[in-house]
Amino acid sequence: MIATRGIATCLLAVSSLVTGCERADPDADRPVTARDFPRANRPVSGMAGSPFTTENQRDSVGEAQRVMDLAEIKPGMTVADIGAGEGYYTVRLAEKVGLKGRVLAEDIDRAALERLGQRIERDRLDNVSVKLGTPDDPRLPDRSFDRIFMVHMFHEVEEPYAFLWRLWPALKPDGLVIVVDIDRPSGQHGIDPLLLSCEFERVGFKLDSFKDAPELAGYYAQFKRTANRPQPHEIKACNMDRGAGSQAEKNVK
């Protein structure tokens, strides 16, 4: 009986150790598909709507037109609208690229995509399709896009390194990623442009253009793809302090 109790006690101790190790796993709260990449060293904002209440208000300051002009959107282009939501940019991009162009509206919110799909059908936007993504993968086809838009949403991306790494192949060789966001802490629905640039650069992008744009309630940043994309284990997370992105700071200036 004593021996049996001893064995039971040892098994209980081993079980407790295993359970303790499992609980101590720092990546237990992350998608399995993102665990080869570093964790974002910053807060991540919850999903929220645009800083503007209605599309009419956004149009009243010329938001979409300004962004499309800066991005040099032309008829015949293929564009992805990441975090498309209710489709403010999607429908305007569809008109801008014309019948010979294509727009892919992507979001991780299935309900929002269903509503957008109804809008697309109602407005007969035959050059638009929708795609359900995941928090760490936009699921875009390779070498397909002239422009990829991420407007007031990058601060909501939970796994920026995995997300951007998987977005990288979707650009055509001369394609651009367009980011519009606000210069404030990432936990408050914005992101410091230096940190933004640093995160993009760590996965194989280069800042190509940056403009402060009050009419966009923030700034406009434009990124090119570099020649090579690092392997996931080679990526180092950016620090939250402004000194983390020294090269990014030089590029922004």
Side-chain angles (χ1 to χ4, degrees):
M1 180 64 71
I2 293 175
T4 302
R5 286 179 181 173
I7 292 172
T9 301
C10 289
L11 289 173
L12 181 60
V14 171
S15 176
S16 298
L17 285 172
V18 171
T19 302
C21 290
E22 290 175 349
R23 289 175 181 172
D25 182 358
D27 288 330
D29 61 331
R30 303 176 68 199
V32 173
T33 50
R35 295 180 188 178
D36 288 338
F37 299 86
R39 182 191 293 269
N41 191 18
R42 59 170 172 84
V44 176
S45 296
M47 293 178 65
S50 163
F52 296 97
T53 304
T54 69
E55 293 191 6
N56 286 338
Q57 286 178 300
R58 299 176 81 170
D59 280 343
S60 71
V61 294
E63 179 190 339
Q65 188 60 54
R66 174 65 169 154
V67 173
M68 291 189 293
D69 287 346
L70 288 170
E72 298 182 344
I73 301 300
K74 296 179 175 64
M77 280 186 166
T78 301
V79 182
D81 181 15
I82 307 298
E86 303 293 330
Y88 173 70
Y89 273 88
T90 298
V91 299
R92 287 156 180 79
L93 286 166
E95 180 180 0
K96 193 76 171 178
V97 302
L99 294 178
K100 293 185 178 180
R102 296 291 302 173
V103 178
L104 177 64
E106 187 269 7
D107 209 298
I108 62 173
D109 186 336
R110 189 183 297 272
L113 281 184
E114 289 175 356
R115 292 191 297 273
L116 178 53
Q118 293 169 2
R119 181 177 187 178
I120 291 167
E121 184 176 353
R122 182 179 67 248
D123 294 347
R124 298 182 179 180
L125 300 176
D126 296 331
N127 60 347
V128 177
S129 56
V130 298
K131 180 79 172 181
L132 182 67
T134 71
D136 66 324
D137 189 351
R139 294 181 172 175
L140 302 180
D142 289 356
R143 300 175 68 86
S144 297
F145 298 97
D146 299 291
R147 302 288 186 270
I148 297 176
F149 276 57
M150 293 193 286
V151 180
H152 293 302
M153 59 75 63
F154 189 72
H155 52 264
E156 298 174 0
V157 177
E158 298 174 9
E159 297 287 348
Y161 301 105
F163 188 91
L164 291 174
W165 192 85
R166 292 177 175 129
L167 180 144
W168 190 93
L171 280 176
K172 294 180 181 179
D174 58 348
L176 299 170
V177 180
I178 308 301
V179 177
V180 177
D181 222 309
I182 303 173
D183 184 2
R184 63 187 181 199
S186 57
Q188 299 175 26
H189 301 287
I191 184 168
D192 185 323
L194 304 182
L195 179 57
L196 173 80
S197 295
C198 182
E199 290 183 347
F200 267 77
E201 289 172 1
R202 295 294 168 90
V203 296
F205 292 93
K206 179 180 180 181
L207 183 65
D208 180 62
S209 177
F210 180 90
K211 292 179 174 64
D212 285 314
E215 70 275 19
L216 306 181
Y219 59 81
Y220 171 98
Q222 179 174 290
F223 295 89
K224 287 183 176 180
R225 206 172 69 170
T226 57
N228 298 300
R229 178 179 61 162
Q231 292 301 309
H233 70 273
E234 297 173 333
I235 299 169
K236 305 298 182 185
C238 300
N239 294 325
M240 290 179 62
D241 59 48
R242 296 182 72 90
S246 57
Q247 186 60 48
E249 185 171 6
K250 292 177 185 177
N251 288 340
V252 170
K253 290 181 177 179

